[in-house]
Amino acid sequence: MTHDALTPDQASARLHELTVIDVRTPGEYATGHLPGAHNVPVDHLDAALPTLRTAAERGDLLVVCASGARSAEACRRLAEAGVPAATLTGGTSTWKQLGHDVHRPAGIRAPWPMERQVRLTAGALVLAGLLAGRLRPGARWISAGVASGLVLSALTDTCGMARLLARLPHNRPKATDLDATLAALSD
């Protein structure tokens, strides 16, 4: 692929010729994904590498996530393994904002997007730390810990809380889902 990143409009124009890999959690993927996207969560990228290499030999790969951060990381990892891929600038969030079509799996109730889960969890922990701090002042360290984590998250453009939340049952992929995705990519 000649570009390291494609804008949503560029990707939309080429969607018919791209193999789209969505590296979000299955829960995030269920909230809406690019038409024809295959869900390979970033945590399972190494297991999917041989299949992704084969898919890249057949045509260009476009890797997407919610904002572009995880897909950029996935593209870096793929490049290290000799697999060329581009990322979608702004991720599926920008894709949706620009009015491009999204697909949702039929019959699947989608959990909240990861960013929303992080906001809820961080807010609840800060509030719990402050409320508990009224009875036990040491409990305020919970709020301080969450605040420190949020600052670190912003500085490093990573999110430890999202990684932890991604391990919850409603966000975890089943092995058969990944196997089916890899089989579809092999065709």
Side-chain angles (χ1 to χ4, degrees), residues 1 14-21 36-38 40 48-62 82-85 180-187:
M1 185 165 280
R14 296 188 54 207
L15 201 56
H16 64 284
E17 66 187 55
L18 297 170
T19 299
V20 181
I21 307 298
H38 301 276
V40 179
L49 195 55
T51 304
L52 294 174
R53 181 176 284 114
T54 301
E57 290 169 359
R58 288 193 311 262
D60 294 336
L61 293 183
L62 177 65
V83 179
T181 298
L182 296 178
L185 280 167
S186 295
D187 293 341

Side-chain angles (χ1 to χ4, degrees), residues 18-86:
L18 297 170
T19 299
V20 181
I21 307 298
D22 192 319
V23 295
R24 298 176 298 161
T25 66
E28 291 174 290
Y29 176 80
T31 65
H33 54 270
L34 275 66
H38 301 276
N39 187 215
V40 179
V42 73
D43 292 344
H44 296 280
L45 203 58
D46 292 336
L49 195 55
T51 304
L52 294 174
R53 181 176 284 114
T54 301
E57 290 169 359
R58 288 193 311 262
D60 294 336
L61 293 183
L62 177 65
V63 182
V64 302
C65 68
S67 67
R70 282 178 282 177
S71 60
E73 171 64 19
C75 285
R76 184 192 60 75
R77 288 173 51 193
L78 288 170
E80 287 174 357
V83 179

